[in-house]
Structure formats: structure tokens, C-alpha cells
Amino acid sequence: MRETLRYVASRLATTFLIVLGAMILLFALSALVPGDPATALLGPAATPEYVQRFIQEMGLDQPWYRRLFSFMGNVFVGNLGTDVLSGQPVTRIIANVLPYTFILTFSSIGLAVAFGVPLGCYAATHRGSLLDHLLAFVSVAFIAIPSFVIAIFLLLIFAIWLDWLPVMGAGEAGNWFDQAQRLILPTIALSVGWIGFIARLVRSSMLETMGENFIRLSRAYGLSNRLITYKYALKNACIPTLAVLGMGVGRLLGGAVLVEIVFSRPGLGRLMFDAISTRNFPVLQGTVLVVVLIFVLTNLLVDLSYAAIDPRIRRQGSR
Amino acid sequence: MNPDLPMITIRNLKLDARTEHGPAHILRGIDLEFGRGRIVGVVGESGSGKSTLVSCLLRLLPSNIERLEGEILFDGIDLLKLSPSDMNDWRGRKIAMVFQDPMTALNPLFTINTHLRDVLKRRFPQISAREARERSLAMLTKVGISDASVRLDAYPHQLSGGMRQRIVIAMALLVEPDLLLADEPTTALDATVEAQIVDLFDQLRQDFSGSIVFISHHLGLVAELCDDLCVMYGGTIVETGPVAEVLARPRHPYTRALLDCEIEDDHGGRLATIPGEVPSATWAMDACIFASRCAHVADICRRGPTVLETVAIGHKAACKRSREVLP
Ligand SMILES: Nc1ncnc2c1ncn2[C@@H]1O[C@H](COP(=O)(O)OP(=O)(O)O)[C@@H](O)[C@H]1O
Ligand SMILES: [Mg+2]
């Protein structure tokens, strides 16, 4: 128990440091943006008086360390600044779209795990079977195709050509059925590559585990194949799979950005895209920070689940 | 079941594996029988096919097997003829196994309790989790693990090699098998722990009614523990009989050479070896398998393979010149 607590504490501390580092980096970038940020933001048409007022309001005339301090202080109380265009707090703008991105990423990860893990287990236990070969071939294809390309194809086939599913946007607020329908294609677009990826990963780690002595021991005691595969071997195979999943969350978020744009769904991706095209720096900064936060927290989660799975990690305190 | 019949009868067991260099004859016709309640020691240099023999008894074989012939009768039933699911039914019920390396024999992600509980549940499907725990605790204490309730909830990495081997032995005993296979259970352990584990096997004889096949490459250890001895060389059995008899009057030059090594070993301190080339599994069986290393080799030895012949009551050796050179 003490070991576990120490492990969690040390991981929390590193996570905090990473977030701090990301904030400083982000701040430095904003300071390094060439040109005068006020003109860059407001555009050449703004009057000099307006630019002056803006600089004061945003605190751009303060020395850099003051700005860094107030930036970090604000972030810690959840204040990511104000959107220059709409005058709304950036935090609220992000909070409004965050659920959409969350639902999309989690349903994609969920779908990928729900299909990838059993497929990988099956392929490992039925090596050389038709499904095993098919998986090897199809997964390579799907891993290679970027998710936004799949998104476009899905859109063309199922929404336009067959007209089976409504797309574009997240659906009517409060209408669960409509929202769920509109979630189907983006989720599939994001997860097909991952299904193949996870299946292959589970397959290879499973095969490796199946050769271990302790699995032989379970066989020597006549334990059922199901118990050996899904209890003993799968847990071992989860460890490398989790590691890759943790790293993959970044890629998944990146994919979500493009898929959101293809399906014109609200979300972090769209927000970021719009912020870039309108050079809306506070919104962009806030969104990037939130993405970093999501990424770091997922990795924390992955590390903690490692420790939950593998007792040896708990003892070491760190990997 | 006829009590006069031996519990295990192995007849002409042959096993070939597919390799890059053609078929490897890993077992070249094994004949062996033993009764209930015996401890059978199997010795032989590494590579002589000892592990493969126990794998055959469990029918847990590598995937590159090309040929498997002969009979393994267990209480009159041929294990090699059982369907895979029937065979699986024998594992962990009538047959249990202790592996060589205790460090890798237990799954690092599960507690000792989970290991023992699942094996018990498979052997006694009606057993409750509580009862399984109680039996496990009692068995851990019996195999000499102190603080059994703490150890039961520990993970393998928290225990020493000797303790892990005791746990695997406890697992084997919990299923109350008729046949316990122990494949070099002490080789991976250091000398003190080795002695403790051998003592443990010795104590266990008292309550254990089944038979034990105890593999070792250490003759002294087998002499201490076993009733019968079986000497393997190059995938064959070259000599078998009651331990005391075989060690006192070895009738095969290879057994003799092994004994000499052992004595040298105790004196010189370094591992003595028999000079000559270790037989390869790809060799054809057209001569005595030991001919290339035998000090007493003659023309007759190169004319066709040797077979096990009775040299005394219950004592067999596979040497054509046995009477001449080892009277
Ligand atoms: N699956 C296999 N394929 C090819 N050769 C094998 C295989 N398994 C064992 N062997 C060979 O068979 C011989 C006997 O091996 P083994 O039974 O492990 O001997 P021991 O336990 O006496 O050391 C060795 O020469 C080994 O290399
Ligand atoms: Mg061996």
C-alpha cells in the first residue's frame, strides 16, 4: 500500500512538472511570435487607440516575467484569457466543445479496444487461420491510411451515396438519437486503424506470453484454454498494449482534429483550426494547453493502470 | 485396476522433431515401467532427452513433432491415444508437474493464492474460495513455508527461488496426482536450497501415495532420494533398475563413467566430464549409441543397435559387452 502511494505521488509530481514545462514553452512561443502581437491579432485595420487599449487590457506592456507569472496564475485558477473576437472567456469556449471531442475520442478508443483485443486474442490462439491472415493484411492497410482519408470515404459512401446516416455537425442538442447517429461515422473513421493496430499488438504480445514457462505450467495443470488465454496471458499482453496506447493518444487526438473538420463537428480540433485561420492567439494558446493537459493526464492514467496490473512496477516506484 | 500391473508402462516410445538438418531423433525407443508409490530417478547428461520424456507423459509437446510412436500406458490406458480434451483431463488431476526454473514458473501478475486457487478449482470444481484458501495455507505450511498467510497473498517476485519452488511443489501436491513429474526441480537453485528441496521430497514420501519421476543430472541426489534409477543417453535408456543395485553394480559403461565423474566431482571440486563427442539427435541408430565415447568399444558394438537386456532381477542394461567388461 505504501509502495503504491509513493508510486502515485511520484507520477503525479512528474505530471505536474511536465504541465509546468508546457506552460512555460507556450508562453515563450507567444513572446517569440514575430511582430507585434496586438497588430497580429487585431489586423492592420485596427485604429492606434484601439491597439493601445488592447495592449493595456491584455497586459502586453508588462515585463515578460510579470506576464509569465500572471499567465501561470491565471491558468491555475482555470482562466485561459479572453477571446478577442467574441469577448467570451476562452475557458468557457473550450468547455463548450470539449465534451464533443471527449465523446469522439473515447468512443473511438472504446471501439478499437472492444474489437482489437478479441481479434488479437483470436489471431494469437488460431495462428495461420484465415482470420489471422486476413487481419495481417487488412490491418496493415488500415494502419497506413490516415483517418481523415477514411473519414472522407465513409462520408461519401454512407452519407452521400447510400444516404444511411446523417452527418455534419454533432446533432441537435438534447436529441440523443440524432447525436449518436452522427457519432457513428467519425468514430469508425478514427478507430479502424486502431483496431488493426491493437489487434496486431495484442496478437504479438500474446504469442510471446504463450511461450512463457508459466503458461506451460498452467497447461500442465489442465487449466482451460479460455482461462489461460483471457485471464493469464491477456493480462501479460496488456502491458505492452497499454504502453503503445498511451503514446497513441496523441496521434488519436491529432486524428480527431482532422476528422472533426471533415465532418464539421464542433470540438477541440475545429476550435484550433478556426483559431489558426483567424489568428486568434488566446484561443489557440488555450486549446493547445488543454490538449497538452489531456495528453499528459492520459499518460498518467496509463502509468497508473500499469501499476495496477503489474505488481513489480509498484515496488520499483518508477519505471 | 489390477494392482499387480505397473502404473506406468512405456513401450518403444519414439519421438522425432523436424529441424533444418533433417529429422532429430529425440527419443529413440524408450522402454520403462514402474509401479505405484515409487520414486523413479532419471539421470543423464543434458540433451539426453529427459525433459522430452516427461513432456511425452504430459503430452505437452513442441509444435515441430514429426513422429510420435509407441505406447504410454497409465493404469492400462494409452495416453497417446486419448483425444486432446481427454488428455487435458488427466493433466492437473492424475498427473502434476514441477518445472526446472522456479523463477519463471509463476505468472508475475498474479498472487500465489490465485495460482493455487485456480489449480484447485480445476481439480475439485465444487471447492469454495474459502476452502481453497484453507487447503493452500495448510499445504504451504506442509512444504515448509513459514508465514504462509502472508506468502499466499504475495506476488512471485516477492519470494525467493527456493520459496517459489516450494510453492510449485505445493501446487503439485494440492491436486493429489497419481504421478508427479519433477524435471530437475533443484538445478536452478543453489546448493543449500537444493539440499532443502531434496529433504522436502524425502519427507513428502510419507503422505504421498503416488509415484514420482524425479529428473536430475546429479547421481548422488538420485541415490539419496529414489527407489529406481533410469539412466538416459542420446534419447535411449541405457540402464535401469533399483537404485542401490545399479549404483553398486553398474552394468553399462556409461553409468560407470557417470559414477566416476561424480566421485571426481566430490574430490576435485570442478565438474568432471566424460571425454568424447555428445551424440547428436540426427545420428542414425546403426550402432551402440555410446560407442563413440566408450572405453570398452569393440567391433561387435558397431554392428547394429543395442537393446535393454536383463542382467539381474529388475536390472537391465543395454550393452553387448556388459558381462565381459563389467562383471
Ligand atoms: N522441439 C525440438 N526440436 C528439435 N530438437 C529438440 C526439440 N526439443 C528438444 N530437442 C533436442 O532434443 C534433445 C533432448 O532435449 P531434452 O529433452 O530437453 O534433454 P534434457 O532434458 O535431457 O536436457 C536435445 O538435443 C535438444 O536439443
Ligand atoms: Mg531438461
Short mmCIF file of all heavy atoms in Angstrom, two decimals, chain A residues 36 52 69 78 82 99 115 140 164-165 178-179 228 238 268 272 283 291 299:
data_model
loop_
_atom_site.label_atom_id
_atom_site.label_comp_id
_atom_site.label_asym_id
_atom_site.label_seq_id
_atom_site.Cartn_x
_atom_site.Cartn_y
_atom_site.Cartn_z
N ASP A 36 4.39 42.48 -33.71
CA ASP A 36 3.66 42.97 -32.56
C ASP A 36 2.39 42.15 -32.40
O ASP A 36 1.56 42.12 -33.32
CB ASP A 36 3.36 44.46 -32.81
CG ASP A 36 2.38 45.00 -31.81
OD1 ASP A 36 2.23 44.37 -30.74
OD2 ASP A 36 1.77 46.04 -32.12
N GLN A 52 -3.76 50.42 -28.56
CA GLN A 52 -3.22 50.83 -27.28
C GLN A 52 -4.04 50.27 -26.12
O GLN A 52 -3.51 49.69 -25.17
CB GLN A 52 -3.20 52.38 -27.21
CG GLN A 52 -2.19 52.93 -26.23
CD GLN A 52 -0.81 52.28 -26.43
OE1 GLN A 52 -0.32 52.16 -27.57
NE2 GLN A 52 -0.19 51.84 -25.36
N PHE A 69 4.15 35.19 -14.94
CA PHE A 69 3.55 34.92 -13.65
C PHE A 69 2.04 34.99 -13.69
O PHE A 69 1.34 34.11 -13.20
CB PHE A 69 4.09 35.92 -12.62
CG PHE A 69 4.95 35.25 -11.61
CD1 PHE A 69 6.08 34.54 -12.01
CD2 PHE A 69 4.63 35.29 -10.27
CE1 PHE A 69 6.87 33.90 -11.09
CE2 PHE A 69 5.41 34.65 -9.34
CZ PHE A 69 6.54 33.96 -9.74
N GLY A 78 -7.82 28.38 -13.66
CA GLY A 78 -8.73 27.98 -14.74
C GLY A 78 -9.09 29.11 -15.69
O GLY A 78 -10.05 29.01 -16.45
N THR A 82 -9.21 35.83 -22.55
CA THR A 82 -10.47 36.20 -23.19
C THR A 82 -10.29 36.15 -24.70
O THR A 82 -9.25 36.53 -25.24
CB THR A 82 -10.86 37.63 -22.79
OG1 THR A 82 -10.70 37.73 -21.37
CG2 THR A 82 -12.29 37.94 -23.16
N PRO A 99 -16.63 18.40 -24.51
CA PRO A 99 -17.37 17.13 -24.45
C PRO A 99 -17.44 16.42 -25.80
O PRO A 99 -17.33 15.20 -25.86
CB PRO A 99 -18.77 17.55 -23.99
CG PRO A 99 -18.57 18.82 -23.28
CD PRO A 99 -17.42 19.50 -23.95
N PHE A 115 -12.93 -4.22 -30.29
CA PHE A 115 -12.73 -5.13 -31.41
C PHE A 115 -11.29 -5.64 -31.48
O PHE A 115 -11.06 -6.79 -31.79
CB PHE A 115 -13.08 -4.44 -32.74
CG PHE A 115 -14.55 -4.45 -33.02
CD1 PHE A 115 -15.35 -3.42 -32.54
CD2 PHE A 115 -15.13 -5.48 -33.73
CE1 PHE A 115 -16.71 -3.43 -32.78
CE2 PHE A 115 -16.49 -5.49 -33.97
CZ PHE A 115 -17.29 -4.47 -33.50
N VAL A 140 -2.62 -3.86 -41.86
CA VAL A 140 -1.54 -3.06 -42.43
C VAL A 140 -2.13 -1.96 -43.32
O VAL A 140 -1.75 -0.79 -43.25
CB VAL A 140 -0.56 -3.94 -43.24
CG1 VAL A 140 0.40 -3.07 -44.04
CG2 VAL A 140 0.21 -4.85 -42.30
N TRP A 164 -27.46 6.73 -45.62
CA TRP A 164 -27.95 5.97 -44.47
C TRP A 164 -27.92 6.78 -43.18
O TRP A 164 -28.73 6.57 -42.30
CB TRP A 164 -27.10 4.72 -44.27
CG TRP A 164 -27.40 3.62 -45.24
CD1 TRP A 164 -28.39 3.62 -46.18
CD2 TRP A 164 -26.71 2.39 -45.37
NE1 TRP A 164 -28.36 2.47 -46.88
CE2 TRP A 164 -27.33 1.67 -46.42
CE3 TRP A 164 -25.62 1.81 -44.71
CZ2 TRP A 164 -26.91 0.41 -46.80
CZ3 TRP A 164 -25.20 0.56 -45.10
CH2 TRP A 164 -25.84 -0.14 -46.15
N LEU A 165 -26.94 7.62 -43.08
CA LEU A 165 -26.71 8.28 -41.79
C LEU A 165 -26.60 9.78 -41.97
O LEU A 165 -26.03 10.25 -42.96
CB LEU A 165 -25.40 7.78 -41.17
CG LEU A 165 -25.41 6.37 -40.61
CD1 LEU A 165 -23.99 5.91 -40.31
CD2 LEU A 165 -26.26 6.31 -39.34
N ASP A 178 -30.16 11.44 -32.46
CA ASP A 178 -29.52 12.17 -33.56
C ASP A 178 -28.01 12.30 -33.30
O ASP A 178 -27.19 12.06 -34.18
CB ASP A 178 -30.18 13.55 -33.67
CG ASP A 178 -29.66 14.30 -34.89
OD1 ASP A 178 -29.47 13.65 -35.94
OD2 ASP A 178 -29.43 15.52 -34.78
N GLN A 179 -27.67 12.66 -32.06
CA GLN A 179 -26.25 12.83 -31.73
C GLN A 179 -25.48 11.52 -31.88
O GLN A 179 -24.36 11.50 -32.40
CB GLN A 179 -26.10 13.36 -30.30
CG GLN A 179 -26.67 14.75 -30.15
CD GLN A 179 -26.18 15.43 -28.89
OE1 GLN A 179 -25.50 14.84 -28.07
NE2 GLN A 179 -26.54 16.70 -28.74
N ILE A 228 -6.65 -19.71 -19.55
CA ILE A 228 -5.25 -19.41 -19.83
C ILE A 228 -5.15 -18.18 -20.75
O ILE A 228 -4.37 -17.27 -20.50
CB ILE A 228 -4.56 -20.62 -20.48
CG1 ILE A 228 -4.47 -21.75 -19.46
CG2 ILE A 228 -3.17 -20.25 -20.98
CD1 ILE A 228 -3.87 -23.03 -20.00
N CYS A 238 -1.43 -7.21 -21.98
CA CYS A 238 -1.96 -5.85 -21.82
C CYS A 238 -0.86 -4.81 -21.62
O CYS A 238 -1.03 -3.66 -21.98
CB CYS A 238 -2.87 -5.78 -20.59
SG CYS A 238 -4.55 -6.16 -20.98
N LEU A 268 -12.42 20.32 -30.10
CA LEU A 268 -11.14 20.98 -29.95
C LEU A 268 -10.46 21.19 -31.29
O LEU A 268 -9.83 22.21 -31.54
CB LEU A 268 -10.22 20.13 -29.07
CG LEU A 268 -10.32 20.30 -27.57
CD1 LEU A 268 -9.22 19.49 -26.91
CD2 LEU A 268 -10.18 21.77 -27.19
N MET A 272 -9.37 24.69 -32.79
CA MET A 272 -7.97 25.00 -33.04
C MET A 272 -7.81 25.48 -34.49
O MET A 272 -7.13 26.46 -34.76
CB MET A 272 -7.14 23.74 -32.81
CG MET A 272 -5.76 24.02 -32.26
SD MET A 272 -4.77 22.54 -32.19
CE MET A 272 -5.49 21.64 -30.89
N VAL A 283 -7.25 31.93 -27.95
CA VAL A 283 -7.99 30.68 -28.09
C VAL A 283 -7.03 29.55 -28.47
O VAL A 283 -7.08 28.46 -27.92
CB VAL A 283 -9.11 30.82 -29.14
CG1 VAL A 283 -9.74 29.46 -29.43
CG2 VAL A 283 -10.16 31.80 -28.66
N VAL A 291 -4.98 20.50 -24.82
CA VAL A 291 -4.56 19.27 -25.49
C VAL A 291 -3.38 18.65 -24.75
O VAL A 291 -3.34 17.45 -24.49
CB VAL A 291 -4.21 19.54 -26.97
CG1 VAL A 291 -3.53 18.32 -27.58
CG2 VAL A 291 -5.46 19.87 -27.76
N ASN A 299 -1.49 9.86 -20.18
CA ASN A 299 -0.28 9.09 -19.89
C ASN A 299 -0.16 8.76 -18.41
O ASN A 299 0.29 7.68 -18.06
CB ASN A 299 0.96 9.82 -20.39
CG ASN A 299 1.20 9.52 -21.85
OD1 ASN A 299 1.53 8.40 -22.18
ND2 ASN A 299 0.96 10.48 -22.71
#
